[in-house]
C-alpha cells in the first residue's frame, strides 16, 4: 500500500462507504506493478441504494434553478483547481501518465465543468409560430432523468467530467462507474462537488465488477439515460442493454485515426504535431493519430522525422523528473503491443524504432514506429491503443481518402496539406466525427466530441454535450 494514495470507497449520498460485494480486484501503480489499494466492490444492495438515492435527489435537483446549479458547478471547478497538485499526483499514481499531463488533464476537467455550468444556463426552448391565433406552441428542454455513466481509465478526469458536468448542469442526477484501474481520480472529483454544496445523491460513484454494475443499473427503471466511453465491443453490449428500456444512450467508442500527409504538406509541422499527439498518454487515446498514409514524395522524410522524435523520448515513471512518456495503464496493453507489433513485422512491416518493453517492471512500452505496414496486418485494422505509429505509402489523394475510410471506425481523422481545395474535399469525404487539418486540436470543452460508424453514437462536449441530457417537451396552450 502507498500511504499517499487516497482511501477508496463507494460514494453515495456524499459519503464514502465500503462496498459490500464480493470479489477481489487490485488497483496498481502501472509504473511499478505495486498495489495501491483494493477496489471497493459494490453489491446489488449497494447499487439499489445508489439508485434510490439518485431518484430521490432528482426530484429536488430538477427544480433547482439553472443559475444555482451553475454556481455549485463553478465552485466545484474552483476546488479542483485549488487542489490540482494533489489530484494530479493521484491520477499519475493510478494511471501512469506524466505528472505534467495529469495536471493539464485536471485543469481541463475544471474547464469542462465551468463550461457546462454556463451552458446549462442557456438550455433554451423556443416558441413555434402557431397556425391558430389562440394556440401557442412552445418547447421546453427538461432533464432526461437519472443517468448511469461508465468511464474508462485513459482519461480518468476529463471523460467523467464531460459526463458528470453535462448531466448535472442539465438538471439530471448521475451514478458513475469509473474504471477499475482509476477509481481515486473520480472520487476526488465527487468529493470536490460535495464540498461545493452539491446536494446528497445528485452524484454517486460506484465501483466493482463492470458487467454486474452496468447490467444492474441499466435494467433499473430509475435510469433514463446511459453514457459509456470504452471499446466498441463493450459499447455494443451497453447499447443492447439500453435498448431493452428504450433509454437514451451516448456511446464514445474506439477509433483508428488516419493521418493523411499529402504531397504539399509542411512536413516538419506534420512530424512535430504527429509525434506530440501520438505519444501523449502513451498513445492510449481514442483520437490518437495512428494510421499514417504518407505521399510517396515525402514518405522518407516523414518516417525519418517521426522515428527521430520517437526515439528521443524519455520513457519512465510519470512522477519522475524529466519523463516524457509514462507506462501503459495495465498489462493488457503490453500484451496487445507485443501481439500487434510482432504480427506486423511478420507481415512485412519495417520497425524503425521501439518495438519492445525496455523495462523489467511496470507496464512500459517504448515509442514505436512501423513503416511499410501492409493493410492486411492486424494493427492496420484493430485499434492499437498504445505508443505505436503505423506508416504506409500512398501515391494520390484518392488512394489516401479510400484508405482512411476503409475501416468501420469513424472517430477522429487528420490531414496535412497546404491546398485549400484538398482541405475542402477532405472535409466532405472523410468519414469521421472530428477532422483536424494541419492541427490536432479537436478536443475542447466547447467543441462537440463524437464518432460515426462503429466509433459511437452522439456527442459529448459543446452544446451538443448538454443536449444529450435534455428531452424536448412540446407545450400547446390555448
Ligand atoms: P474494455 O472495453 O474491457 O474496457 C473499457 C472500459 O469499459 C473500462 O473502463 C471498463 O471498466 C469498462 N467496461 C468493461 N466492461 C464493461 C461492462 N460490461 N459494463 C460497463 N463498463 C464496462 O477495454 P480495456 O481492455 O480496458 O481497453 C481495451 C480497449 O478499450 C482499447 O483497445 C480501446 O479500444 C478501448 N478503450 C477506449 C477508450 C476510449 O476513450 N474510447 C478508453 C479506454 C479503452
Amino acid at each position: 500500500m502507498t500511504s499517499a494514495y487516497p482511501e477508496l470507497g463507494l460514494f453515495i449520498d456524499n459519503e464514502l462507504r465500503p462496498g459490500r460485494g464480493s470479489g477481489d480486484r487490485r488497483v496498481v501503480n502501472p509504473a511499478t506493478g505495486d498495489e495501491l489499494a483494493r477496489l471497493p466492490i459494490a453489491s446489488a444492495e449497494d447499487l439499489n441504494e445508489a439508485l434510490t438515492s439518485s431518484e430521490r435527489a432528482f426530484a429536488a435537483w430538477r427544480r433547482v434553478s439553472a443559475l444555482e446549479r451553475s454556481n455549485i458547478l463553478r465552485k466545484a471547478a474552483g476546488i479542483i483547481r485549488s487542489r490540482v497538485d494533489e489530484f494530479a499526483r493521484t491520477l499519475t499514481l493510478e494511471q501512469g501518465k506524466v505528472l505534467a499531463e495529469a495536471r493539464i488533464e485536471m485543469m481541463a476537467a475544471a474547464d469542462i465543468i465551468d463550461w457546462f455550468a454556463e451552458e446549462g444556463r442557456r438550455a433554451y426552448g423556443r416558441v413555434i409560430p402557431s397556425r391558430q391565433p389562440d394556440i401557442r406552441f412552445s418547447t421546453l428542454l427538461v432533464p432526461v432523468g437519472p443517468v448511469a455513466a461508465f468511464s474508462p481509465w485513459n482519461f480518468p478526469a476529463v471523460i467523467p467530467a464531460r459526463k458528470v458536468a453535462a448531466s448535472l448542469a442539465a438538471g439530471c442526477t448521475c451514478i458513475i462507474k469509473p474504471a477499475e484501474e482509476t477509481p481515486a481520480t473520480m472520487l476526488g472529483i465527487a468529493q470536490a462537488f460535495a464540498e461545493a454544496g452539491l446536494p446528497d445523491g445528485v452524484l454517486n460513484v460506484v465501483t466493482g465488477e463492470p458487467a454486474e454494475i452496468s447490467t444492474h443499473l441499466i435494467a433499473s427503471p430509475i435510469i433514463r439515460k446511459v453514457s459509456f466511453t470504452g471499446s466498441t465491443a463493450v459499447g455494443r453490449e451497453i447499447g443492447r442493454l439500453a435498448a431493452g428500456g428504450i433509454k437514451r444512450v451516448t456511446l464514445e467508442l474506439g477509433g483508428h485515426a488516419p493521418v493523411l500527409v499529402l504531397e504539399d504538406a509542411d512536413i516538419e509541422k506534420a512530424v512535430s504535431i504527429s509525434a506530440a499527439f501520438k505519444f501523449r498518454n502513451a498513445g492510449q487515446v481514442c483520437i490518437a493519430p495512428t494510421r499514417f498514409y504518407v505521399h510517396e514524395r515525402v514518405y522518407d522524410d516523414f518516417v525519418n522525422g517521426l522515428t527521430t522524435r520517437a526515439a528521443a523520448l524519455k520513457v519512465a515513471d510519470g512522477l519522475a523528473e524529466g519523463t516524457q512518456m509514462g507506462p501503459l495503464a495495465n498489462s493488457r496493453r503490453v500484451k496487445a503491443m507485443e501481439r500487434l507489433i510482432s504480427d506486423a513485422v511478420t507481415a512485412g512491416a519495417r520497425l524503425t524504432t521501439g518495438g519492445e518493453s525496455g523495462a523489467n517492471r511496470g507496464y512500459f512500452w517504448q515509442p514505436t514506429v512501423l513503416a511499410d505496414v501492409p493493410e492486411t496486418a492486424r494493427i492496420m485494422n484493430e485499434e492499437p491503443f498504445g505508443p505505436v505509429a503505423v506508416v504506409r505509402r500512398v501515391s494520390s489523394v484518392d488512394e489516401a481518402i479510400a484508405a482512411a475510410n476503409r475501416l468501420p471506425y469513424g472517430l477522429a481523422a487528420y490531414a496535412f496539406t497546404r491546398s485549400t481545395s484538398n482541405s475542402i474535399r477532405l472535409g466532405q469525404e472523410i468519414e469521421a466525427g472530428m477532422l483536424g487539418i494541419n492541427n490536432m486540436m479537436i478536443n475542447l470543452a466547447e467543441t462537440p466530441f463524437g464518432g460515426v460508424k462503429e466509433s459511437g453514437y452522439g456527442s459529448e462536449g459543446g452544446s451538443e454535450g448538454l443536449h444529450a441530457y435534455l428531452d424536448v417537451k412540446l407545450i400547446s396552450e390555448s
Side-chain angles (χ1 to χ4, degrees):
M1 301 276 277
T2 305
S3 59
Y5 190 69
E7 183 192 350
L8 299 183
L10 311 179
F11 196 69
I12 300 173
D13 282 333
N14 284 344
E15 252 180 37
L16 202 62
R17 52 161 98 169
R20 289 170 289 179
S22 57
D24 193 22
R25 282 180 178 260
R26 297 160 70 227
V27 181
V28 301
N29 176 349
T32 60
D34 293 342
E35 180 173 318
L36 294 167
R38 294 275 159 167
L39 183 75
I41 308 285
S43 65
E45 204 183 345
D46 292 325
L47 296 174
N48 285 338
E49 284 175 20
L51 284 163
T52 313
S53 149
S54 203
E55 183 180 40
R56 195 186 320 116
F58 178 60
W61 184 244
R62 66 182 306 174
R63 291 192 176 82
V64 171
S65 74
L67 178 61
E68 200 179 324
R69 292 198 294 253
S70 169
N71 288 340
I72 294 174
L73 263 73
R74 282 192 293 109
K75 200 164 170 201
I79 293 169
I80 291 168
R81 285 194 190 96
S82 71
R83 292 171 60 188
V84 65
D85 291 336
E86 170 201 338
F87 281 1
R89 191 171 182 284
T90 298
L91 199 165
T92 294
L93 265 181
E94 64 182 9
Q95 198 275 344
K97 69 182 61 176
V98 176
L99 189 57
E101 282 183 38
R103 228 175 166 278
I104 291 170
E105 181 174 350
M106 288 310 315
M107 295 304 264
D111 189 27
I112 288 168
I113 295 167
D114 266 346
W115 195 84
F116 277 112
E118 289 305 312
E119 197 61 9
R121 298 172 61 189
R122 294 188 279 267
Y124 306 132
R126 61 201 163 106
V127 176
I128 298 158
S130 177
R131 290 185 175 200
Q132 281 176 235
D134 57 343
I135 298 187
R136 183 167 66 184
F137 295 108
S138 59
T139 60
L140 283 183
L141 299 185
V142 295
V144 178
V147 174
F150 306 91
S151 57
W153 41 262
N154 55 340
F155 287 95
V158 155
I159 295 175
R162 282 208 206 99
K163 299 181 192 302
V164 166
S167 41
L168 270 44
C172 299
T173 53
C174 181
I175 304 176
I176 185 162
K177 182 197 78 60
E180 296 63 65
E181 287 91 341
T182 54
T185 300
M186 182 59 232
L187 281 174
I189 293 173
Q191 282 159 340
F193 272 105
E195 216 176 293
L198 193 72
D200 290 358
V202 174
L203 173 60
N204 293 327
V205 184
V206 294
T207 51
E209 291 304 326
E212 276 175 29
I213 295 178
S214 55
T215 308
H216 193 107
L217 294 183
I218 299 173
S220 164
I222 292 171
I223 295 298
R224 293 309 321 156
K225 156 92 196 183
V226 179
S227 176
F228 171 80
T229 301
S231 63
T232 297
V234 176
R236 201 169 269 124
E237 177 60 15
I238 297 282
R240 202 183 59 76
L241 291 170
I246 320 289
K247 301 188 181 187
R248 285 185 60 187
V249 63
T250 301
L251 300 171
E252 299 295 344
L253 309 177
H256 204 309
V259 185
L260 281 55
V261 183
L262 303 185
E263 188 178 1
D264 59 6
D266 176 338
I267 293 302
E268 223 167 277
K269 186 175 178 183
V271 166
S272 69
I273 293 178
S274 298
F277 280 82
K278 173 72 257 182
F279 300 110
R280 177 173 76 108
N281 203 17
Q284 302 161 113
V285 184
C286 51
I287 55 169
T290 296
R291 287 178 292 146
F292 293 84
Y293 293 109
V294 184
H295 193 274
E296 56 198 6
R297 294 225 173 83
V298 291
Y299 185 83
D300 290 338
D301 287 348
F302 183 83
V303 171
N304 293 339
L306 194 62
T307 302
T308 306
R309 289 199 183 237
L313 289 174
K314 183 172 179 225
V315 183
D317 186 329
L319 290 177
E321 194 72 31
T323 300
Q324 291 171 302
M325 194 182 94
L328 298 172
N330 54 52
S331 58
R332 298 193 297 285
R333 298 308 333 131
V334 178
K335 290 194 189 94
M337 292 303 102
E338 283 165 359
R339 182 171 57 79
L340 291 172
I341 292 169
S342 88
D343 170 81
V345 170
T346 307
R350 182 163 53 91
L351 185 66
T352 67
T353 187
E356 58 185 11
S357 149
N360 52 16
R361 69 194 292 252
Y363 309 136
F364 288 93
W365 196 264
Q366 295 301 311
T368 299
V369 178
L370 286 168
D372 312 339
V373 189
E375 290 280 39
T376 49
R378 292 180 74 167
I379 201 162
M380 290 302 260
N381 299 281
E382 291 173 33
E383 182 179 29
F385 222 65
V388 50
V390 287
V391 197
R392 192 172 160 73
R393 207 181 291 263
V394 290
S395 51
S396 68
V397 180
D398 286 347
E399 186 187 348
I401 293 175
N405 290 342
R406 187 178 61 83
L407 295 186
Y409 292 115
L411 193 59
Y414 307 98
F416 290 91
T417 175
R418 287 190 176 99
S419 143
T420 310
S421 62
N422 278 341
S423 289
I424 292 171
R425 184 172 171 207
L426 295 173
Q428 284 164 348
E429 294 186 24
I430 293 290
E431 296 167 1
M434 296 162 281
L435 173 63
I437 301 180
N438 297 322
N439 78 77
M440 295 192 175
M441 197 177 287
I442 56 168
N443 185 13
L444 298 166
E446 60 273 28
T447 54
F449 185 98
V452 299
K453 295 158 82 177
E454 292 185 18
S455 286
Y457 182 76
S459 286
E460 296 194 299
S463 44
E464 291 85 350
L466 183 80
H467 286 261
Y469 297 90
L470 291 166
D471 278 331
V472 180
K473 183 190 279 182
L474 171 76
I475 300 178
S476 169
E477 297 168 86
S478 55

